[in-house]
Amino acid sequence: MARASPAQDAAEARLPGDRLRWAGVPWLEAPRRQVSAARCEGRLPHAILVHGPLGGGQSALALWTAQLLLCETALDQPCGRCASCVLFLAGNHPDFHGVSIEEKASYIKVDQVRDLCATLAMTSYRGRAKVGLVEPADRMNINANNALLKTLEEPPEDTLLILVASRLDRLARTVVSRCQRIRVSQPTTREALAWLEEQEARDDWSGLLAMAAGAPLQALDLAASGAGELTRDMAAAIPPRRPTAFDPLALADTWSKDRPADRLAWLENWVSAQVREAATGSDAVNNNRDNSLPSAPAGLNIRAAFELLDRVREARSLQERSLNTLLLFEDLLVGFAEAFAGGIAVRPEIEG
Ligand SMILES: [Zn+2]
């Protein structure tokens, strides 16, 4: 079996047992207690929304909650041994129904949600609870949101619907308001680094954690996917002292073919660091300065850095929606070249 990727969306068919290994991380202890207390006291609602930054472990918490509900002997945590747990861990529980983005699709489709709702309306196979999981729930279109709303308004008996999302603003408000929210908070940088160091001794965890926007499981994922090497490669491509050596079109070609999403994450992290440094004075953030990141080119002023940050964020959002990655990088890197040379041109519109 392939190594479990801790942070990714639930799009790939990985066994719940594999993904559940992250449910025991220390920063999930509080939300785990919250869920099990609600269950013990019989006040678990019919729908919960597990949310927090991507890569913080909400996926593992959602699966843990599903297993807890289905377990036949659980008190405050799933037993892992009863018939239900065995079926669940093997990915075969007949009363557990997960919906995620299908291969080659960008969104969860309305038909998937309708099928899920129809299945949840039927009688439980094992005569106990039924659980539906929608992940990532923030990648449903408006019709899928509406389809889900009907089930949220008239929930079937003994059914728990679990939504997992990192962006609440991409869910219909009417859906959010009908779920009990469980927030997964990120650990502090110090806690996250200590935990990562326990997983594997590396000297670039702080750079990887910054690139993962502080989410430890995402950092672990980045390390496994060779992002440490990527960081060195990116740093070499942006030589701070010789911005004229920066060839945007050649780089766009290379980057669009090789880990484009990771490169955009790296760029956002790097430009954010430039903005912070420029805004707070060059030495104010030195305690947190990640030495694996290059300094800004001489021509980059604060206004240009803010403009670049907007561009990178927009590019990340477009890339998620599978727009032409080469064009996207060309637009972005031409903008970088202009900024490094000391001026920003009027930004062109990207054709969708
Ligand atoms: Zn069990």
Side-chain angles (χ1 to χ4, degrees), residues 16-240:
D18 208 2
R19 291 155 60 199
L20 266 164
R21 62 188 281 213
W22 307 110
V25 296
W27 63 93
L28 289 183
E29 194 184 329
R32 275 200 318 268
R33 274 210 221 115
Q34 187 187 344
V35 169
S36 63
R39 181 182 187 258
C40 287
E41 291 158 21
R43 54 178 175 79
L44 208 58
H46 62 267
I48 60 175
L49 170 56
V50 181
H51 68 104
L54 197 67
Q58 54 271 56
S59 180
L61 178 69
L63 283 171
W64 182 88
T65 303
Q67 189 187 354
L68 182 74
L69 258 283
L70 296 169
C71 176
E72 286 159 24
T73 59
L75 289 170
D76 58 352
Q77 58 180 328
C79 78
R81 289 183 297 276
C82 70
S84 266
C85 280
V86 170
L87 285 168
F88 182 82
L89 294 173
N92 291 326
H93 200 293
D95 293 318
F96 175 70
H97 311 281
V99 165
S100 60
I101 300 172
E102 290 173 342
E103 207 176 328
K104 293 185 181 167
S106 306
Y107 286 91
I108 290 175
K109 295 169 187 155
V110 61
D111 287 346
Q112 292 176 269
V113 174
R114 283 198 190 117
D115 287 349
L116 173 71
C117 295
T119 307
L120 290 175
M122 295 195 293
T123 316
S124 156
Y125 279 92
R126 296 184 61 79
R128 301 177 63 91
K130 294 163 285 175
V131 180
L133 173 68
V134 181
E135 180 185 13
D138 45 12
R139 298 281 284 278
M140 291 189 291
N141 64 19
I142 188 71
N143 292 336
N145 267 278
N146 286 337
L148 196 63
L149 196 55
K150 285 180 196 155
T151 293
L152 289 171
E153 284 168 342
E154 293 168 31
E157 262 185 62
D158 292 327
T159 298
L160 176 69
L161 198 56
I162 306 174
L163 311 187
V164 179
S166 53
R167 294 278 306 266
L168 292 193
D169 59 322
R170 290 185 185 168
L171 270 164
R173 271 192 213 170
T174 42
V175 166
V176 174
S177 69
R178 281 171 175 80
C179 299
Q180 182 175 323
R181 291 195 224 167
I182 296 181
R183 179 166 170 77
V184 173
S185 302
Q186 272 174 186
T188 63
T189 302
R190 185 192 293 255
E191 288 165 342
L193 288 174
W195 183 80
L196 286 166
E197 200 56 43
E198 276 174 27
Q199 310 308 308
E200 186 189 342
R202 291 179 70 110
D203 58 7
D204 56 355
W205 277 129
S206 78
L208 291 170
L209 187 64
M211 190 171 152
L217 297 183
Q218 183 86 22
L220 207 59
D221 237 10
L222 288 169
S225 67
E229 297 71 46
L230 184 83
T231 290
R232 284 186 278 284
D233 180 54
M234 295 294 286
I238 303 180

Side-chain angles (χ1 to χ4, degrees), residues 276-295:
R276 278 199 305 275
E277 286 199 26
T280 54
S282 61
D283 287 308
V285 289
N286 270 0
N287 287 340
N288 295 321
R289 177 110 173 79
D290 175 8
N291 294 323
S292 63
L293 295 179
S295 308

